[in-house]
Amino acid sequence: QQPVQSPQAVILREGEDAVINCSSSKALYSVHWYRQKHGEAPVFLMILLKGGEQKGHDKISASFNEKKQQSSLYLTASQLSYSGTYFCGTEARVSGNTPLVFGKGTRLSVIA
Amino acid sequence: EAGVAQSPRYKIIEKRQSVAFWCNPISGHATLYWYQQILGQGPKLLIQFQNNGVVDDSQLPKDRFSAERLKGVDSTLKIQPAKLEDSAVYLCASSSTQETQYFGPGTRLLVL
């Protein structure tokens, strides 16, 4: 089942913060976050595993609430380079191999 | 370290024609994935290989799509015959574990 991302799109000025949410109706084992710029391949940002952890590097961080089956991606003090479409990919891992299912994406535009 | 390579980058064909895409994963990556990404959507898994064996092909339209990874390295994805709704970007990704997937630049297919 495809995770639901919100918002669908957001426009920020440089230096502003944003939160992108990803929620699933299924119990999750992991959540993967990717950023894709127009015409390019998705680029891996981070993975969060079951256990309710929080991760981050530079000014991009994420949290995973397994009880709520939700993950949030936090972008602070946004830069022009943050523009792109952000996808979450969720893995249920009920048994054996379970593939990643990606959301429809959140389009982020950072303007000067 | 070289990334995932794909060719061709672009392909335009008429409906009912056949087309093939090639992928060379990151050296040493045992797992290879083919995704279909329709404009405005997240990537959708078509098939997953572990070495030269198929792990998941549940979403591959087997009446027209086929894929192989004969020697456990390179892979080809074929569509025969193509339909208008096959117009999309076909992404190849590879991983050394079930965790981080690294995507190639994709092949943009337009079916007229």
Side-chain angles (χ1 to χ4, degrees):
Chain A
Q1 204 130 8
Q2 187 175 41
V4 177
Q5 289 187 234
S6 64
Q8 290 185 335
V10 59
I11 300 174
L12 298 175
R13 293 198 177 276
E14 268 187 298
E16 291 182 337
D17 302 341
V19 180
I20 299 171
N21 299 303
C22 173
S23 62
S24 173
S25 59
K26 284 190 169 184
L28 298 176
Y29 174 79
S30 68
V31 180
H32 304 225
W33 285 97
Y34 286 81
R35 176 172 60 211
Q36 185 176 32
K37 294 184 180 284
H38 183 68
E40 299 180 10
V43 173
F44 173 77
L45 293 176
M46 64 188 78
I47 177 175
L48 298 105
L49 301 177
K50 186 176 177 179
E53 61 175 343
Q54 187 154 351
K55 271 193 176 180
H57 58 81
D58 198 13
K59 294 173 183 173
I60 300 177
S61 62
S63 63
F64 177 24
N65 186 326
E66 65 183 89
K67 287 184 180 178
K68 291 186 177 180
Q69 294 152 201
Q70 288 178 352
S71 178
S72 294
L73 186 72
Y74 307 94
L75 300 104
T76 58
S78 58
Q79 305 166 17
L80 294 174
S81 61
Y82 286 5
S83 293
T85 300
Y86 289 78
F87 293 100
C88 69
T90 57
E91 181 189 13
R93 202 174 282 191
V94 174
S95 62
N97 176 77
T98 50
L100 277 186
V101 181
F102 286 92
K104 292 187 176 181
T106 295
R107 181 174 292 185
L108 177 72
S109 300
V110 181
I111 58 175
Chain B
E1 181 182 76
V4 177
Q6 290 188 246
S7 67
R9 293 295 311 277
Y10 305 92
K11 191 75 178 178
I12 300 174
I13 61 172
E14 294 189 348
K15 60 183 179 183
R16 290 188 289 273
Q17 285 188 321
S18 62
V19 64
F21 312 129
W22 173 81
C23 172
N24 180 237
I26 293 173
S27 177
H29 281 192
T31 309
L32 184 147
Y33 313 79
W34 282 103
Y35 288 89
Q36 180 192 58
Q37 186 175 25
I38 291 172
L39 189 65
Q41 302 285 321
K44 183 184 94 170
L45 180 70
L46 293 175
I47 188 167
Q48 177 184 341
F49 291 96
Q50 180 78 15
N51 296 308
N52 60 349
V54 175
V55 174
D56 187 334
D57 63 356
S58 57
Q59 297 192 93
L60 186 74
K62 298 181 186 64
D63 57 333
R64 298 185 300 106
F65 286 66
S66 64
E68 59 183 14
R69 193 184 185 199
L70 292 175
K71 295 183 180 179
V73 181
D74 294 6
S75 176
T76 55
L77 176 70
K78 296 179 182 177
I79 308 175
Q80 182 178 13
K83 292 185 175 182
L84 297 177
E85 59 260 36
D86 297 333
S87 294
V89 176
Y90 290 85
L91 294 164
C92 178
S94 70
S95 68
S96 59
T97 66
Q98 291 284 89
E99 308 298 346
T100 306
Q101 295 183 28
Y102 296 91
F103 285 83
T107 296
R108 193 174 296 266
L109 174 68
L110 180 59
V111 183
L112 301 175

